[in-house]
Amino acid sequence: MVFSDLFFLFVFLPAFIICYQIGAWLDRRMSDDRNHPLFTVRNGVMVVFSLVFYAWGEPIYVFLMIGAVFINYLSGLWIAAAKGRWRRFALVVGLALNIAMLGVFKYAGFIASNLHIFGIEADIPEIALPIGISFYTFQSISYLIDVYRCAADVQRKYSDLLLYISMFPQLIAGPIVRYDTVARELSNRSVTPADVSDGVFRFLLGLGKKVILANQFGEIADGFLASSNLGDVSVCGAWIGILAFTFQIYFDFSGYSDMAIGIGRCLGFHFNENFDHPYCSRSITEFWRRWHMSLGSFFRDYVYIPLGGNRRHQVINILLVWFLTGMWHGASWNFILWGLYFAVILMVEKKYILPRINMLPRLVFHCYAMLLVVLGWGIFYFTDINEMGRFFHALVGGTGIFWQFADENALRTHFWLWIAAVVFSMPVRSWVSRIPGVVMGHGSSVAATTEMISRTIVSVVVLIVSVALLIGATNNAFLYTRF
């Protein structure tokens, strides 16, 4: 099940809201302190609906997730109770179990298929990849490390830890929510009308990003970059295809993050931002501070800095982090190449470009950054190395065809889609939100009313257009559910 699905929007979500509100009412009735109500029933409702949400697409692997949470629950208790070296040993065991599970389900086939490099022939296991395993495994790892570092108290209620890991808003495609971010809110959170309003608006903006923009760009990208078309794609067609994928992956993933953050906000959870308009960057360093920020901060705080960060072995640390970043995205050589590609660029930037970044106009460095990002998405898109080679061959004119009618049609027919993509890649929402305050005065009731009406109109329009596009849609999956 995905958020941009009519069943989710009009059956699952309304049923969840009704049951959650009943649970909240029961919690208040059972609580001795009206100012601090219990969260027993409503948390139970969230767990049940989260498991149903996951089991909708993974009926077997939901038990894998439940078992993994139980192992991490016991590991957390062990870490909290252990002393001295045994405390570190408990952490190592817990991390090893998580990494082993991820390795078996995500990388066993890749490793077996590449053993022939060392002269070893092995049967390739056919293991289906559990949806969201990379996300919930990393959340489990963050929980154990935070408990070990005393950055968060150990969770002594298995049901609350299961809620943290299985929470359906961010379960299958992030953002990677660290335990210390929501630890307090698992048992003590409040929701104001402003939270609900902001959450619903954020959810609908994410829905629009996914359905109105990402899905349309996905059709364009697949039309130009499909394996059967690479042999006779033109130079312009290759560039149009990869630019379409550039917009698709951004609006797809940031749209999901917006929807997750929006639902969380309506429930009293405050997830960290995952995107900050990365296509406005003027360096690759800045791009990765703005793109998938929860993953970047995870590797920074749990891998890069513990290894020494900038203090020692910086080159090795960067290469290792970006090798792991590539592998996290998928068990394929193209993802490893993609990670190392950015590792090299980041090292060159640190030494030669960032110290001189203010010597030239911002537009120059913005074009430089976006060119490298787009080329990087070319590596990311093709899991088959031969197809990747054919694509880059076409990109530089290897097919001998510069322009075709299909290229003109993709630009002319979807002209306003391209314009919308460029505009909404910029922080236009924050710009527009300032207008009522500037025109009518900050804090005025007229400005607040105008903003509320504007948001309502935008929300209704986005919902109507999205539903219209979803009716009969055949390709609606989120890209990051693969990872």
Side-chain angles (χ1 to χ4, degrees):
M1 194 185 307
V2 294
F3 295 157
S4 56
D5 183 271
L6 293 176
F7 181 84
F8 175 84
L9 292 172
F10 296 108
V11 178
F12 181 91
L13 195 55
F16 168 72
I17 293 171
I18 293 171
C19 293
Y20 187 82
Q21 291 302 321
I22 293 173
W25 178 78
L26 290 173
D27 282 337
R28 288 191 294 269
R29 289 291 299 255
M30 294 187 298
S31 177
D32 294 330
D33 186 349
R34 298 300 180 187
N35 295 321
H36 298 283
L38 299 172
F39 285 82
T40 305
V41 180
R42 76 189 83 175
N43 281 2
V45 169
M46 283 192 67
V47 169
V48 171
F49 272 82
S50 295
L51 295 179
V52 170
F53 179 86
Y54 190 79
W56 197 264
E58 298 283 1
I60 296 177
Y61 285 141
V62 69
F63 297 105
L64 173 70
M65 182 180 64
I66 292 172
V69 174
F70 185 69
I71 290 173
N72 283 290
Y73 170 71
L74 296 178
S75 298
L77 293 176
W78 186 13
I79 293 170
K83 303 293 182 182
R85 293 181 178 179
W86 286 106
R87 183 177 174 84
R88 177 174 294 183
F89 178 74
L91 173 66
V92 171
V93 171
L95 296 181
L97 291 172
N98 281 284
I99 294 171
M101 181 184 70
L102 187 62
V104 168
F105 285 94
K106 190 167 184 176
Y107 303 108
F110 174 73
I111 294 172
S113 64
N114 285 281
L115 286 176
H116 68 273
I117 297 174
F118 306 99
I120 302 173
E121 296 298 329
D123 294 331
I124 301 175
E126 296 183 3
I127 303 175
L129 179 65
I131 294 175
I133 189 172
S134 297
F135 287 96
Y136 71 70
T137 300
F138 270 32
Q139 291 190 180
S140 299
I141 289 173
S142 81
Y143 165 69
L144 296 181
I145 295 177
D146 286 348
V147 170
Y148 175 80
R149 292 176 174 177
C150 298
D153 294 331
V154 66
Q155 180 54 255
R156 299 190 179 279
K157 292 178 63 178
Y158 170 74
S159 59
D160 280 358
L161 187 63
L162 181 60
L163 172 61
Y164 160 64
I165 298 295
S166 68
M167 199 183 303
F168 76 86
Q170 46 76 55
L171 173 60
I172 62 173
I176 299 171
V177 179
R178 297 198 199 179
Y179 179 71
D180 65 340
T181 302
V182 297
R184 183 185 61 81
E185 294 173 338
L186 290 173
S187 58
N188 184 19
R189 58 187 183 271
S190 60
V191 181
T192 66
D195 288 327
V196 175
S197 174
D198 291 343
V200 170
F201 184 63
R202 186 70 178 270
F203 175 85
L204 290 173
L205 286 182
L207 180 67
K209 281 184 178 182
K210 166 60 179 171
V211 178
I212 301 174
L213 296 175
N215 285 0
Q216 317 312 311
F217 278 114
E219 293 181 4
I220 297 172
D222 291 343
F224 285 98
L225 304 180
S227 176
S228 58
N229 296 334
L230 287 176
D232 56 2
V233 69
S234 67
V235 175
C236 291
W239 280 102
I240 290 171
I242 200 59
L243 285 172
F245 179 70
T246 297
F247 285 126
Q248 178 196 4
I249 195 169
Y250 169 64
F251 288 115
D252 188 283
F253 194 19
S254 69
Y256 187 98
S257 295
D258 285 342
M259 286 187 272
I261 292 169
I263 297 176
R265 185 74 176 271
C266 291
L267 299 173
F269 292 97
H270 294 78
F271 304 151
N272 291 333
E273 294 294 333
N274 209 24
F275 287 87
D276 184 18
H277 307 97
Y279 291 163
C280 294
S281 304
R282 59 174 179 161
S283 69
I284 298 302
T285 302
E286 182 183 357
F287 174 81
W288 281 109
R289 287 174 182 160
R290 292 168 171 259
W291 178 280
H292 201 348
M293 295 186 289
S294 61
L295 180 67
S297 63
F298 180 95
F299 278 118
R300 180 195 65 208
D301 295 341
Y302 296 130
V303 180
Y304 184 70
I305 292 176
L307 287 175
N310 299 332
R311 301 186 310 275
R312 62 180 186 273
H313 313 304
Q314 184 183 27
V315 172
I316 296 175
N317 296 342
I318 291 175
L319 288 172
L320 178 59
V321 163
W322 284 95
F323 171 81
L324 294 175
T325 300
M327 285 291 289
W328 180 88
H329 282 85
S332 177
W333 284 108
N334 71 302
F335 294 119
I336 296 174
L337 292 173
W338 176 76
L340 296 179
Y341 164 82
F342 280 113
V344 172
I345 294 173
L346 289 168
M347 287 188 288
V348 171
E349 277 195 355
K350 285 179 180 293
K351 187 169 184 179
Y352 298 107
I353 297 177
L354 294 183
R356 301 168 178 81
I357 200 166
N358 294 320
M359 297 174 63
L360 292 173
R362 182 181 181 89
L363 180 62
V364 173
F365 282 105
H366 175 69
C367 292
Y368 142 81
M370 284 309 302
L371 175 62
L372 293 180
V373 168
V374 171
L375 294 176
W377 290 133
I379 301 172
F380 189 94
Y381 184 89
F382 295 97
T383 56
D384 186 292
I385 300 299
N386 292 325
E387 290 184 6
M388 184 195 304
R390 293 167 61 198
F391 163 74
F392 281 105
H393 181 69
L395 199 68
V396 296
T399 59
I401 308 170
F402 180 77
W403 180 265
Q404 296 185 112
F405 174 74
D407 309 341
E408 178 186 353
N409 188 57
L411 295 176
R412 179 170 48 80
T413 305
H414 302 285
F415 176 78
W416 290 110
L417 183 68
W418 292 100
I419 297 298
V422 173
V423 170
F424 290 109
S425 294
M426 298 184 285
V428 71
R429 182 162 64 95
S430 61
W431 297 342
V432 172
S433 65
R434 298 192 193 107
I435 294 176
V438 172
V439 175
M440 304 171 193
H442 293 285
S444 71
S445 59
V446 178
T449 302
T450 302
E451 182 181 0
M452 181 186 68
I453 294 173
S454 301
R455 284 167 54 140
T456 302
I457 293 172
V458 170
S459 299
V460 171
V461 170
V462 168
L463 180 60
I464 292 173
V465 174
S466 297
V467 170
L469 290 173
L470 284 174
I471 297 174
T474 57
N475 183 19
N476 192 39
F478 283 94
L479 291 175
Y480 263 71
T481 57
R482 307 175 190 171
F483 312 129

